[in-house]
Amino acid sequence: MVLDRRRESELVPEYSLTGDLLSFLRCGLQYRYHNGSSLPPSRPVQLWFGEFVHGAMEAAFRIWRDAVPRATFPWPMNITPHRGNPPTGRLGHDVGTIGDTIEGTLRVLGKNPRSNVVRDSAYRRVERAINELGPDLFPLIAAAEELVIGTREIPGATGTALRARLYELHGIIDVVTDVELTGAPDSNIFKRAVQAAYPGLTGRFEVIVDYKGSRRPATTHDYWQQGDWQVQTYAWLRGRQSGTLPVAAGILIYINELAPTSDDIEELRREVTRRQTDIAPANGSADYYQLNTWRPGNAIPAFSLEFRLARAIRVIPVNAQTQIAAAAEFDRVVQSIESCVDTEAAHGQIIAHWPPRGDEETCAACDFRHFCPDPAPRHRAHVITAPSAP
């Protein structure tokens, strides 16, 4: 009997949709530095704020789901976060305790807020999110923190020097099904938002939910298009799992809109003036007056709950064509990352082969900005496309 020669195992690099691909799009050089000397880039570049928001919202949902009887909203924040070790014992319906526990978990992983201002802002926004979104959102969630995973081909990898032909893409989502959405009261803000974005939606379907630890981006900004790609690609990945329903829509929840800062208000005013936002206060409304009479240094405008929720909730319709197109965009991002890996390995240099493209906010929070060859705002303006391979 003749035995075949043992084949070399094929490398299939793993990529997180948010931790790797969106992080690379935000700034390729920062992404590479956060990955240390690891090749391939395998450790996600996720800011503390985003992980804290996700962790606190998931913890709050599970506490709500498992409690007998269900605790009524609003939940208090009686326990002041203490910047020490997290409290022990069973979590109660207290936002401070929930946040403290999540913060302790992140601390063990070496992830800490870059300042007390960021930390306090995270607690304030999570408290708003739990109490203003939780009553309508939590009853709709059929599955929390579902892993979605799939394998795709890297464009142009065949016959090239790239180290892999395939890559594995994964993410974590919350899922709402047609049963929960249809059975919700007509006053439910998420049901109304889906119906407004997708009139006549019927049949069996799922809706993907993802939290964003950021403000609603301008419609002309990269992040607006990337949010759409993210939802569509999550839907494609969800379709690769067995026993799932077709995804009809995705919901992105911009947590920062529930408790905006002065910088957020200034950005909103510019976007409204330039007509670069899809959600602006109605002319003549109290929200319109507050926005246009506000000046830096004044107290944050007390926008209405209706306006803040409209800014926080973005519904994105999904179909087979949009899924395929978005996933192809991320294929090109992976191609760019793999090309950077290949050229760095060949030349032994990082700075020359990983593109810096951060905006001012990204650069301000970056530990490597002092020796970056192209920090914001000197670099080129944002363009809503995936980067080409280096």
Side-chain angles (χ1 to χ4, degrees):
M1 182 176 67
V2 179
L3 299 177
D4 291 335
R5 178 180 298 177
R6 181 178 178 180
R7 299 179 181 179
E8 294 185 8
S9 58
E10 182 176 359
L11 175 67
V12 181
E14 299 179 10
Y15 286 98
S16 160
L17 185 55
T18 55
D20 289 307
L21 304 192
L22 291 182
S23 293
F24 176 81
L25 287 175
R26 180 159 289 197
C27 179
L29 187 59
Q30 183 191 73
Y31 168 71
R32 176 61 182 89
Y33 279 133
H34 272 290
N35 280 276
S37 59
S38 172
L39 286 174
S42 58
R43 294 185 311 190
V45 182
Q46 295 173 318
L47 298 179
W48 177 91
F49 188 93
E51 292 201 30
F52 178 84
V53 166
H54 274 82
M57 292 301 293
E58 296 302 339
F61 166 72
R62 295 182 188 281
I63 291 169
W64 174 87
R65 181 194 61 188
D66 298 338
V68 180
R70 292 266 165 81
T72 58
F73 294 94
W75 291 9
M77 192 156 69
N78 295 322
I79 300 177
T80 303
H82 51 66
R83 298 182 175 87
N85 294 322
T88 58
R90 187 173 181 274
L91 290 179
H93 301 91
D94 186 279
V95 179
T97 306
I98 294 170
D100 221 10
T101 302
I102 300 302
E103 186 177 4
T105 301
L106 293 175
R107 188 183 303 113
V108 170
L109 299 175
K111 300 174 182 179
N112 298 285
R114 69 176 186 268
S115 70
N116 287 336
V117 172
V118 171
R119 181 181 181 278
D120 294 342
S121 176
Y123 273 88
R124 183 172 65 254
R125 285 165 168 167
V126 163
E127 180 185 18
R128 286 274 183 94
I130 291 173
N131 288 321
E132 294 180 349
L133 300 176
D136 283 356
L137 177 61
F138 290 172
L140 299 183
I141 296 176
E145 292 197 298
E146 287 285 294
L147 175 65
V148 289
I149 190 168
T151 303
R152 295 182 60 84
E153 291 190 7
I154 301 174
T158 302
T160 68
L162 295 184
R163 66 205 175 95
R165 181 178 60 87
L166 304 173
Y167 74 98
E168 181 184 285
L169 183 60
H170 58 86
I172 296 177
I173 59 174
D174 287 353
V175 179
V176 172
T177 72
D178 64 296
V179 174
E180 286 79 16
L181 199 66
T182 303
D186 292 339
S187 60
N188 185 287
I189 57 176
F190 292 95
K191 180 177 182 178
R192 289 164 54 190
V194 171
Q195 290 175 336
Y198 211 142
L201 180 62
T202 58
R204 304 299 312 280
F205 61 86
E206 292 180 346
V207 174
I208 289 170
V209 179
D210 188 49
Y211 306 105
K212 287 287 189 183
S214 63
R215 65 183 297 274
R216 191 184 192 95
T219 53
T220 54
H221 199 286
D222 284 2
Y223 299 164
W224 180 261
Q225 181 64 75
Q226 290 167 16
D228 188 295
W229 292 345
Q230 178 185 354
V231 164
Q232 305 290 349
T233 306
Y234 273 149
W236 183 88
L237 290 171
R238 180 67 175 170
R240 310 278 78 75
Q241 319 307 305
S242 61
T244 62
L245 298 171
V247 176
I251 298 176
L252 294 180
I253 301 176
Y254 298 102
I255 299 294
N256 292 18
E257 294 292 346
L258 300 175
T261 64
S262 296
D263 289 343
D264 295 334
I265 302 301
E266 289 193 72
E267 284 290 324
L268 177 57
R269 285 177 56 158
R270 283 194 289 267
E271 292 164 5
V272 169
T273 300
R274 299 169 183 172
R275 298 184 179 181
Q276 295 175 340
T277 181
D278 61 327
I279 303 294
N283 288 343
S285 66
D287 296 320
Y288 180 87
Y289 175 80
Q290 290 193 69
L291 178 64
N292 286 281
T293 58
W294 178 82
R295 296 292 180 270
N298 292 351
I300 300 298
F303 291 138
S304 67
L305 176 61
E306 180 181 9
F307 178 63
R308 288 187 293 109
L309 291 177
R311 293 277 306 168
I313 300 171
R314 177 186 176 192
V315 179
I316 301 174
V318 171
N319 59 50
Q321 289 70 35
T322 57
Q323 291 178 44
I324 293 172
E329 295 291 349
F330 282 122
D331 290 342
R332 286 190 279 274
V333 177
V334 171
Q335 182 187 34
S336 293
I337 297 176
E338 289 296 314
S339 294
C340 291
V341 171
D342 182 63
T343 53
E344 181 192 337
H347 300 282
Q349 295 179 330
I350 294 178
I351 289 181
H353 302 293
W354 292 86
R357 60 167 64 88
D359 58 15
E360 292 188 44
E361 181 181 1
T362 300
C363 289
C366 182
D367 295 330
F368 318 110
R369 64 187 180 277
H370 302 295
F371 54 87
C372 177
D374 195 18
R378 290 197 294 112
H379 61 75
R380 61 192 178 282
H382 283 274
V383 179
I384 305 179
T385 58
S388 57

